[in-house]
Amino acid sequence: DAGVIQSPRHEVTEMGQEVTLRCKPISGHDYLFWYRQTMMRGLELLIYFNNNVPIDDSGMPEDRFSAKMPNASFSTLKIQPSEPRDSAVYFCASSFVGDWNQPQHFGDGTRLSIL
Amino acid sequence: GENVEQHPSTLSVQEGDSAVIKCTYSDSASNYFPWYKQELGKRPQLIIDIRSNVGEKKDQRIAVTLNKTAKHFSLHITETQPEDSAVYFCAASYTGGGNKLTFGTGTQLKVEL
């Protein structure tokens, strides 16, 4: 089991540029979650998908943020245009649901710095 | 929606002592409560979880207790070691809620030699 795989691990870019973060969930997991973590706001849920369909995007901060899941093994989080206040660590997590909820498994995150 | 409160925000203990972190939740429908440990610069990792059909669960030095009536659950770490130093997050979710977790604000645990 390779776990949740995120890329890139680090991204440094200038304000106004487009940023694309990528995530490969654990095979067989049908839920995928995108989080943002900062010291000030803690761990925030941005959006989550079930069977590739967005279920709740109420945490997406602005229209500059968008997320897609074109298939069961790949998702992207895009910021366009990026701003310095978007600097944070972005985590992707995946899980499945049986008779009971199951734990979410997190990727190693993408540390994003917008200059 | 669900609200999870976590206390304390920071906790310092001597090596070998016990540490207790407490969380309360607001939605009585919540029935799954995982705990995550996050070391500096690393991802949150599940360390233990509990479901509402049991009141306590242990795994070596770690235990979690759940009081459904009072809507609170706690993490207990015994015989703390320096490698236990990290931020710990509690969370809650309910079946049918899309496996969405509501996280507490985290506890910074420091184990001093």
Side-chain angles (χ1 to χ4, degrees):
Chain A
D1 183 355
V4 176
I5 300 172
Q6 291 187 246
S7 64
R9 291 294 312 278
H10 304 273
E11 175 87 11
V12 180
T13 193
E14 293 188 348
M15 182 176 69
Q17 296 298 306
E18 178 179 289
V19 174
T20 300
L21 311 182
R22 298 173 176 79
C23 176
K24 176 180 170 56
I26 293 172
S27 177
H29 284 192
D30 53 0
Y31 280 87
L32 184 139
F33 304 82
W34 281 101
Y35 291 90
R36 178 172 68 176
Q37 187 175 41
T38 61
M39 288 294 293
M40 292 296 295
R41 302 175 68 90
L43 199 58
E44 302 174 272
L45 176 65
L46 300 177
I47 185 172
Y48 76 95
F49 296 82
N50 176 222
N51 290 323
N52 313 337
V53 177
I55 303 301
D56 183 354
D57 66 354
S58 60
M60 296 285 264
E62 300 171 33
D63 290 345
R64 298 185 296 106
F65 285 69
S66 62
K68 293 182 179 180
M69 192 166 185
N71 57 62
S73 59
F74 183 65
S75 177
T76 60
L77 178 68
K78 189 171 293 187
I79 308 173
Q80 167 62 24
S82 57
E83 297 183 3
R85 58 196 170 113
D86 301 330
S87 298
V89 180
Y90 291 80
F91 288 104
C92 175
S94 71
S95 71
F96 71 96
V97 174
D99 292 337
W100 291 83
N101 282 2
Q102 300 297 323
Q104 293 181 18
H105 298 269
F106 285 76
D108 287 330
T110 295
R111 185 172 297 275
L112 178 63
S113 296
I114 308 296
L115 306 178
Chain B
E2 175 67 284
N3 181 50
V4 176
E5 294 189 357
Q6 183 172 347
H7 300 280
S9 56
T10 61
L11 179 59
S12 184
V13 299
Q14 294 293 315
E15 183 180 8
D17 287 350
S18 295
V20 180
I21 302 171
K22 300 181 179 181
C23 290
T24 59
Y25 60 98
S26 61
D27 191 343
S28 57
S30 290
N31 59 3
Y32 175 63
F33 308 92
W35 285 88
Y36 287 83
K37 174 184 180 182
Q38 187 177 25
E39 297 177 22
L40 187 63
K42 301 288 184 66
R43 60 187 168 94
Q45 287 191 281
L46 178 76
I47 55 171
I48 195 167
D49 56 7
I50 190 168
R51 294 184 169 85
S52 60
N53 60 342
V54 297
E56 184 175 4
K57 184 177 179 180
K58 288 184 179 180
D59 183 2
Q60 299 183 339
R61 297 186 296 108
I62 294 173
V64 57
T65 59
L66 172 65
N67 184 325
K68 289 187 294 183
T69 302
K71 290 190 282 189
H72 67 70
F73 56 113
S74 300
L75 178 71
H76 305 253
I77 306 174
T78 59
E79 301 173 20
T80 54
Q81 302 168 3
E83 52 265 38
D84 295 328
S85 296
V87 178
Y88 292 81
F89 292 95
C90 63
S93 71
Y94 64 93
T95 304
N99 222 18
K100 176 180 174 180
L101 290 174
T102 300
F103 282 90
T105 50
T107 296
Q108 174 75 61
L109 173 64
K110 182 177 181 181
V111 180
E112 298 178 338
L113 296 173

